[in-house]
Amino acid sequence: MTHIAEPKGGGLKREMGLMSAINVIISVMIGSGIFVSPTGALKYSGSVGFCLVVWAVCGVISLLGALCFAELGTIVPRSGAEYAYLIEAFKKSHRYWGPLPSFICAWVYVVVLRPAEIAVIILTFAEYSILPFINVLGLESLPKEDLHNLIKLVALLGLGIITYINVSSVKLYVRINNIFGFCKVFACLIVIFGGIYQLAIGNVENLSRGFAGTNFNPGNIALAFYNGLWAYDGWSSVTTITEEIKKPEVNIPRSIVIAVPIITGLYVFMNMAYMTVLSPEEMINSEAVGLDFGARTLGSFSFLIPLGVALSTFGCALSIQFGVTRLCYVASQEGQMLEPLSYIHVRRATPVPAVIMQGILAFAFIMVGNIETLIELASFLIWFFYGSAFIALLTLRRTQPNVHRPYKVPLFVPIFALAVSVFLSVVPIVTDPSPKYFFAVGFILSGVAVYTPFVYYGIRPKWMDKVTYLLQVLYEVVPTSEKVD
């Protein structure tokens, strides 16, 4: 094969500063949920007062979990978040079982969970991006099936754009993500200031209910926190891209300490704003809380809410794809994914094969449709892997006690976060003992079936050499190690 020179520097470039790291967290954490359906906590808490308490406490819990990842990110300075931490903590413990947890993590995230999430989010982007134009363009007369196909077409266009951005350069991603990050925060502030105006003119009836009607049933309280914590998911996103953060030992903890409290404040005050004009019953029964709020308070500017949802979801999908491709990159370096997924472009320093693969998988999920059940099937595993990362933190404290830790959380924090992760992994199974969780176990076992021959025994078909060479020539990518075929 032709020897292709390595790019200068031989790997991913550190091109993201503190502000960019903050915007990554904001982009992933703020999706469409806070605008469309932030009602689970209210439904199970039973009162507006306790609902707001739940949102605030969930923000604190998320911050504690994120701080655990901040410590892990400073002692394991690799991209991939929980995948990298599982590799570091357990890889050498047993030849077969040691690397298995990290492979299962990559298998779930890379093959199903993240591309399916991107597909759902980009479909939401498409739906809300055309919503303001339905009446203007006369689309309301379209048959339902044709409108659905139009949404799917716009979604594919959006997927193509985010894939192009992530292929092109990290700097382009940073610039665009920063713009969308500021826009989605601005959209949140529109809702908040709309609520402040409603309070100023005396709309306090719903909020004056306080804690009346609070549901003290332990099961319902658990479900209230369960729904709230899911809305905060994404706080670990900055540790997925550690190798591209400038001064990660400083900027990762700082970005978490800044971003998560900002989002907590936005979530609490947005819920308070909704409650100024919508009763608890109306919020719970609403198909899109943000749209109902905008229709009642913003008048002719109500289009700002669907625009905010479109901006929010586009930025979210962009950042999720950016992060999962770095997980592909690291897993491939460890020999747990196809080798070309660790190759980067000779000039752009982006993992082009990994980005293209994620684009293809998300494309497949968009075309299949009806993948919400698949998301539910795999989503409960997210906190399972978070819990595994907290165990990795405790393990590294014991096995590598003398490693320099620029940042270190008190011991009770990872123990508490581990208890929360166990709770969030068990609650959906206990409250809804559906057969779908057996399918999740089946998918994990299918990962074991792939791991054993292709990772543990290292079986590699000969035709992979031709595929690897073809990808190198087609995408102008090279290995990041010094061993170049």
Side-chain angles (χ1 to χ4, degrees):
M1 293 184 185
T2 304
H3 179 97
I4 303 176
E6 276 190 59
K8 187 177 180 181
L12 300 174
K13 310 296 183 185
R14 296 194 184 277
E15 300 186 77
M16 304 179 70
L18 177 60
M19 185 57 66
S20 299
I22 292 170
N23 268 316
V24 168
I25 300 174
I26 289 174
S27 291
V28 177
M29 288 185 73
I30 303 179
S32 63
I34 193 62
F35 294 99
V36 179
S37 57
T39 55
L42 176 60
K43 177 181 177 182
Y44 292 106
S45 62
S47 69
V48 295
F50 189 55
C51 172
L52 296 176
V53 170
V54 167
W55 280 102
V57 173
C58 287
V60 174
I61 294 173
S62 299
L63 178 60
L64 294 177
L67 291 177
C68 293
F69 271 64
E71 177 180 334
L72 284 163
T74 58
I75 59 175
V76 186
R78 299 186 69 187
S79 297
E82 51 264 59
Y83 172 84
Y85 311 145
L86 292 172
I87 275 284
E88 180 68 21
F90 305 118
K91 181 179 181 180
K92 296 178 181 179
S93 62
H94 189 277
R95 188 165 177 266
Y96 181 87
W97 298 105
L100 183 58
S102 57
F103 176 81
I104 295 299
C105 177
W107 177 252
V108 172
Y109 279 149
V110 170
V111 178
V112 172
L113 187 55
R114 294 311 187 200
E117 280 183 342
I118 292 168
V120 170
I121 293 168
I122 209 71
L123 282 167
T124 305
F125 155 77
E127 181 179 354
Y128 280 87
S129 62
I130 68 173
L131 192 60
F133 306 104
I134 286 181
N135 293 328
V136 176
L137 301 177
L139 299 177
E140 70 276 0
S141 60
L142 279 178
K144 189 174 181 180
E145 184 177 346
D146 290 344
L147 185 60
H148 178 71
N149 289 334
L150 177 62
I151 291 172
K152 187 175 288 189
L153 183 63
V154 174
L156 292 175
L157 177 62
L159 176 63
I161 292 172
I162 68 170
T163 303
Y164 171 78
I165 293 169
N166 284 328
V167 162
S168 296
S169 75
V170 174
K171 287 184 178 179
L172 178 62
Y173 161 78
V174 168
R175 286 197 294 268
I176 292 176
N177 191 55
N178 286 347
I179 292 171
F180 277 87
F182 287 122
C183 287
K184 66 170 63 181
V185 170
F186 181 71
C188 294
L189 291 175
I190 289 175
V191 173
I192 291 171
F193 282 112
I196 291 174
Y197 173 76
Q198 293 299 317
L199 288 175
I201 63 176
N203 281 343
V204 296
E205 180 183 352
N206 295 323
L207 289 172
S208 64
R209 297 185 185 186
F211 290 86
T214 299
N215 193 328
F216 293 103
N217 179 280
N220 284 318
I221 292 175
L223 287 170
F225 279 99
Y226 173 77
N227 281 274
L229 285 166
W230 275 121
Y232 281 95
D233 186 47
W235 43 258
S236 66
S237 52
V238 71
T239 56
T240 309
I241 56 171
T242 299
E243 293 176 48
E244 289 159 285
I245 302 292
K246 298 175 183 177
K247 297 181 179 178
E249 70 280 359
V250 174
N251 286 329
I252 287 178
R254 283 182 180 175
S255 63
I256 288 169
V257 170
I258 293 172
V260 177
I262 287 175
I263 293 167
T264 301
L266 292 175
Y267 280 6
V268 171
F269 287 111
M270 285 180 75
N271 275 276
M272 191 179 295
Y274 293 146
M275 293 171 184
T276 60
V277 294
L278 298 171
S279 68
E281 294 76 18
E282 288 174 323
M283 284 186 64
I284 291 171
N285 295 321
S286 173
E287 292 185 2
V289 174
L291 296 186
D292 291 344
F293 174 84
R296 296 193 187 186
T297 60
L298 301 179
S300 58
F301 291 96
S302 60
F303 71 90
L304 291 173
I305 299 299
L307 178 61
V309 175
L311 293 172
S312 184
T313 47
F314 184 88
C316 184
L318 176 67
S319 290
I320 289 177
Q321 188 190 72
F322 185 88
V324 72
T325 56
R326 273 53 185 177
L327 196 160
C328 293
Y329 171 82
V330 175
S332 177
Q333 286 183 322
E334 291 290 335
Q336 293 193 350
M337 288 281 167
L338 297 175
E339 182 184 333
L341 297 179
S342 66
Y343 291 5
I344 65 172
H345 196 275
V346 291
R347 294 181 302 278
R348 298 169 181 168
T350 57
V352 175
V355 177
I356 296 297
M357 185 194 76
Q358 284 299 308
I360 292 172
L361 288 173
F363 173 85
F365 282 120
I366 290 174
M367 297 307 295
V368 168
N370 298 321
I371 55 178
E372 284 77 6
T373 302
L374 182 62
I375 292 287
E376 293 174 6
L377 180 71
S379 288
F380 86 100
L381 291 172
I382 290 178
W383 273 92
F384 173 81
F385 291 124
Y386 285 165
S388 300
F390 300 140
I391 293 174
L393 173 57
L394 296 171
T395 302
L396 290 170
R397 288 272 186 99
R398 180 176 56 83
T399 59
Q400 301 181 20
N402 298 321
V403 170
H404 175 60
R405 289 172 166 79
Y407 175 81
K408 187 175 181 180
V409 294
L411 183 61
F412 80 89
V413 175
I415 294 174
F416 173 75
L418 176 59
V420 172
S421 65
V422 172
F423 161 75
L424 288 175
S425 299
V426 171
V427 163
I429 300 175
V430 173
T431 57
D432 180 24
S434 169
K436 64 186 178 184
Y437 297 113
F438 291 104
F439 290 105
V441 173
F443 183 72
I444 290 174
L445 293 177
S446 70
V448 176
V450 173
Y451 168 82
T452 302
F454 298 111
V455 178
Y456 180 69
Y457 288 109
I459 295 175
R460 186 175 186 271
K462 291 184 178 180
W463 51 263
M464 275 303 301
D465 289 333
K466 294 182 179 180
V467 172
T468 300
Y469 179 65
L470 178 63
L471 291 175
Q472 282 193 264
V473 174
L474 182 63
Y475 295 127
E476 296 183 85
V477 293
V478 294
T480 54
S481 65
E482 295 188 2
K483 293 182 179 180
V484 183
D485 190 3

